[in-house]
Amino acid sequence: MASIIESGWLYLITHFSDFQLASLGSFLLHESVFFLSGLPFIYLERAGFLSKYKIQTKNNSPAAQEKCITHLLLYHIGVNLPLMILSYPVFRFMGMRSSLPLPSWKVVLSQIIFYFILEDFVFYWGHRVLHTKWLYKHVHSIHHEYATPFGLTSEYAHPAEILFLGFATIVGPAITGPHLITLWLWMVLRVLETVEAHCGYHFPWSLSNFLPLYGGADFHDYHHRLLYTKSGNYSSTFVYMDWIFGTDKGYRKLKALKRNGVEDDNKQS
C-alpha cells in the first residue's frame, strides 16, 4: 500500500511544481471533497430519504439551496483560491515540503491530532467573538441565514469570516510545516467533519455515537436553531471546550428533557 502511494506521489511531483500542487492542487482537492460530500444531503432533503434521521422537520426550499451553491462558488473562487495561492510562500517558509520520502504514519497521525485540537481551541474562541452583537449582525449572521443547515452551508459565510475562522484551520500546519500529503489529509478530514456537522442528519452510524468527545451534527444543529445570544455550542469538532466554559448548558438540558420523554421544541428558545 505504501509503495502504491509513493508511486502515485512520485508521479505528481514529477509532473507538477510545488506551487501547482500546494495551491491549485489543494483548491481542486478541497472543491472535490466538499461538493461530493455535501451535495448528497441536498438530494436526501429534496427526496425525503432517511427523513427519520433528520434532526429538524423543516426543509430548505430549492431556491435557498441554489442560492447557497451560487454564493459558495463565488466565495471559493474569489476568496479561497487567492488565499491558497497567497499562503504558499508562508507554508514554504514554515518548512512545508512535497518531496519524497513521505512522512511515517506516526508523524502524520500526531500532526493531524495536534491540528484538530488546536483548530478546535482557536475556532471556539473565534466563534464566540463572532457571536458578539456587532460582528454577528455585520458578519456572522450570513452563516446563520440557514437555521436548518445542510452540508454545503458549512462554508456559506461572509468573506471576512472565511478569513477569520480559516486561520484556525491553517495555524497548526503553519506551525509544524508538514509534508504536503499531511496537509491534504488534514484538509480532507476537516472538510468532511464540517460538512457532517452541518448535514442536518443524525444517523446510527454518526461518529458522535461512538466518540463521546466528538460533537457532530446533533451538537452543531442546536447552535443554528437558536438566537445568537442563546445558542452556545461554539466548538467546531469536540464538545469539551463548551463543557469547560459552560456554553453547552442549553443543549445538555434539551438532551436531558428528550431522554425523559419531553419533546417540546419551544423550550429551546
Side-chain angles (χ1 to χ4, degrees):
M1 183 64 178
S3 61
I4 296 175
I5 296 175
E6 287 191 349
S7 297
W9 196 258
L10 179 61
Y11 176 86
L12 289 176
I13 62 177
T14 302
H15 291 80
F16 302 97
S17 67
D18 282 355
F19 172 77
Q20 289 173 326
L21 292 173
S23 56
L24 302 180
S26 297
F27 178 75
L28 292 175
L29 178 63
H30 172 274
E31 297 304 288
S32 299
V33 175
F34 177 71
F35 283 104
L36 288 175
S37 62
L39 285 172
F41 292 106
I42 289 182
Y43 175 74
L44 288 180
E45 189 172 75
R46 290 188 180 186
F49 291 154
L50 301 176
S51 58
K52 66 178 180 179
Y53 300 121
K54 198 169 186 303
I55 299 170
Q56 299 186 49
T57 56
K58 179 183 175 182
N59 289 329
N60 293 281
S61 68
Q65 294 170 339
E66 291 163 8
K67 174 189 174 184
C68 176
I69 294 174
T70 301
H71 282 225
L72 284 170
L73 291 173
L74 293 174
Y75 291 162
H76 285 185
I77 296 173
V79 180
N80 289 12
L81 179 57
L83 182 62
M84 289 181 178
I85 293 174
L86 294 174
S87 298
Y88 173 73
V90 177
F91 282 108
R92 288 291 294 176
F93 177 77
M94 298 303 291
M96 185 192 74
R97 66 180 182 88
S98 60
S99 58
L100 291 173
L102 297 177
S104 68
W105 69 268
K106 292 181 180 180
V107 171
V108 173
L109 180 62
S110 62
Q111 289 182 337
I112 293 296
I113 292 174
F114 171 68
Y115 299 160
F116 266 115
I117 294 173
L118 181 60
E119 190 278 338
D120 192 67
F121 177 84
V122 176
F123 186 98
Y124 174 84
W125 291 110
H127 196 182
R128 285 194 68 172
V129 169
L130 286 174
H131 274 264
T132 55
K133 187 174 182 179
W134 191 91
L135 282 174
Y136 183 89
K137 179 180 179 180
H138 296 283
V139 178
H140 193 48
S141 59
I142 291 179
H143 181 65
H144 278 269
E145 286 180 13
Y146 292 90
T148 305
F150 53 94
L152 295 182
T153 60
S154 57
E155 295 190 6
Y156 180 86
H158 190 286
E161 179 175 344
I162 295 173
L163 297 173
F164 187 52
L165 292 183
F167 173 77
T169 301
I170 66 173
V171 62
I175 291 172
T176 63
H179 193 282
L180 181 59
I181 198 170
T182 307
L183 184 64
W184 280 3
L185 178 60
W186 161 237
M187 182 173 62
V188 168
L189 293 175
R190 180 71 182 100
V191 167
L192 293 176
E193 181 276 321
T194 192
V195 168
E196 193 271 339
H198 289 82
C199 75
Y201 290 81
H202 184 69
F203 301 109
W205 55 86
S206 293
L207 196 58
S208 57
N209 292 327
F210 307 98
L211 297 179
L213 293 179
Y214 182 78
D218 187 62
F219 185 80
H220 193 69
D221 197 276
Y222 175 86
H223 174 81
H224 273 264
R225 295 202 303 271
L226 302 189
L227 296 173
Y228 79 93
T229 55
K230 301 179 181 180
S231 56
N233 291 17
Y234 297 112
S235 294
S236 60
T237 304
F238 306 113
V239 300
Y240 59 84
M241 288 292 291
D242 283 283
W243 179 78
I244 291 172
F245 294 99
T247 48
D248 65 346
K249 291 180 179 178
Y251 172 73
R252 291 185 178 275
K253 181 179 179 180
L254 177 63
K255 297 293 285 185
L257 289 172
K258 286 186 174 182
R259 282 195 297 269
N260 292 329
V262 179
E263 300 284 350
D264 186 357
D265 291 337
N266 292 326
K267 291 185 179 181
Q268 296 172 28
S269 55

